[in-house]
Amino acid sequence: MEKVLQVQNLSKSYGSVAAVSGLSLSVARGEVFGLLGPNGAGKSTSIECMLGVKKASAGTVEILGINPSEGRKTLFERVGVQFQETGYQDKIRVEEVCRMTAALYRKPADWQRLLAVFDIQGLEKQEVSQLSGGERQRLSVLLALIPNPELVFLDELTTGLDTRARREVWQYLKELKKGGLTIVLTSHFMDEVEVLCDRALILKKGEPQICGTIEEITEGSPCSCFEEAYLWYTGGDDDACV
Ligand SMILES: Nc1ncnc2c1ncn2[C@@H]1O[C@H](COP(=O)(O)OP(=O)(O)OP(=O)(O)O)[C@@H](O)[C@H]1O
């Protein structure tokens, strides 16, 4: 199966802090892959290094056959990125940020339709700074999809979304997956990971603990459910399954 993302021995230190150590993974086309771990485990740093936004201390990354630090322009034509926080221009309106993003790509998605899908329709004239946290979150996912990407990185996909909105985003991503989209996501919600991810990798203090399907990860622990297994992999030595 075609690999759209390949990471080998990626490490990143900030001074004496080893944020990521020896991360290796590969993601096949059409797969949904979860990068998991507690706050500060190194998820965002890993994604930023994969994209070439931050310079890795060691390791190699290939996205769609491209070395991200060399082919940035080609890469961003084909890859969508949602970051946890986006620095929007002061007073920019929803429709302006959508239009400006769409203008960057040759074959952008229909952002008006995406506004409807993400239930932000009717807020086009509103300033982004005046949106609620959940609306802003949905907008950031929408913006990552405007390039019509082959691969999308979603960082804390549904943080701040209400129950209905989360399910709607899941449903939409499942449809995009059926259409062949490859998704790499981070999440703190194990129910979301179970619903969406084909495979996941768990980081603890920057170090990969296990990589596999939800079943493989659960079976690799003494626990009987995935969330407990996650807590077991990421907890202290004394942590036992509930
Ligand atoms: N610019 C930076 N300078 C110094 N240390 C940093 C910097 N960015 C991140 N770190 C540290 O690197 C480690 C990994 O941070 P990172 O943001 O990648 O974690 P994360 O898994 O994405 O966390 P969260 O779930 O809270 O978003 C943390 O210890 C963090 O304090």
Side-chain angles (χ1 to χ4, degrees), residues 14 17 19 37-46 54 84 155-156 188:
Y14 299 105
V17 178
N39 292 134
K43 305 177 295 295
S44 300
T45 301
S46 300
K54 279 189 181 158
Q84 276 180 42
D155 202 356
E156 298 196 14
H188 288 297

Side-chain angles (χ1 to χ4, degrees), residues 5 27 31 33 35 47 151-154 182-186:
L5 170 64
V27 180
E31 201 174 18
F33 189 90
L35 193 54
I47 290 180
L151 164 66
V152 68
F153 288 86
L154 301 170
T182 309
I183 302 171
V184 175
L185 60 86
T186 75

Side-chain angles (χ1 to χ4, degrees), residues 7-200:
V7 177
Q8 272 173 346
N9 265 320
L10 183 77
S11 297
K12 170 72 179 171
S13 298
Y14 299 105
S16 60
V17 178
V20 184
S21 311
L23 174 66
S24 296
L25 58 89
S26 68
V27 180
R29 187 173 289 277
E31 201 174 18
V32 180
F33 189 90
L35 193 54
L36 314 180
N39 292 134
K43 305 177 295 295
S44 300
T45 301
S46 300
I47 290 180
E48 286 163 343
C49 290
M50 287 178 207
L51 291 166
V53 177
K54 279 189 181 158
K55 193 170 169 2
S57 312
T60 58
V61 177
E62 215 177 82
I63 300 180
L64 298 162
I66 301 166
N67 175 342
S69 36
E70 288 168 7
R72 181 134 352 154
K73 190 169 181 300
T74 329
L75 189 78
F76 283 101
E77 275 288 334
R78 299 170 67 189
V79 175
V81 184
Q82 175 222 357
F83 288 110
Q84 276 180 42
E85 281 164 33
T86 311
Y88 297 111
Q89 221 175 298
D90 215 19
K91 297 210 176 281
I92 195 159
R93 293 177 195 281
V94 170
E95 63 179 2
E96 289 169 337
V97 76
C98 290
R99 194 167 288 133
M100 278 166 54
T101 307
L104 297 173
Y105 300 99
R106 270 180 291 183
K107 289 185 195 158
D110 177 354
W111 57 265
Q112 304 269 17
R113 183 174 165 265
L114 287 174
L115 284 175
V117 167
F118 284 90
D119 206 16
I120 319 178
Q121 221 170 21
L123 296 174
E124 290 96 324
K125 304 278 178 216
Q126 190 142 325
E127 287 175 18
V128 175
S129 59
Q130 290 170 347
L131 295 177
S132 76
E135 288 162 350
R136 236 187 343 263
Q137 178 76 359
R138 275 179 276 150
L139 177 65
S140 70
V141 179
L142 179 162
L143 292 175
L145 296 172
I146 284 186
N148 250 332
E150 291 169 58
L151 164 66
V152 68
F153 288 86
L154 301 170
D155 202 356
E156 298 196 14
L157 171 66
T158 62
T159 297
L161 296 197
D162 64 42
T163 309
R164 188 175 304 280
R166 288 178 79 210
R167 285 177 177 236
E168 283 168 1
V169 170
W170 293 352
Q171 195 51 41
Y172 187 61
L173 290 180
K174 281 184 175 178
E175 282 168 32
L176 291 175
K177 173 182 158 65
K178 274 191 211 152
L181 177 68
T182 309
I183 302 171
V184 175
L185 60 86
T186 75
S187 176
H188 288 297
F189 305 115
M190 295 309 127
D191 58 342
E192 175 163 285
V193 174
E194 284 185 275
V195 168
L196 291 177
C197 293
D198 299 304
R199 287 187 306 130

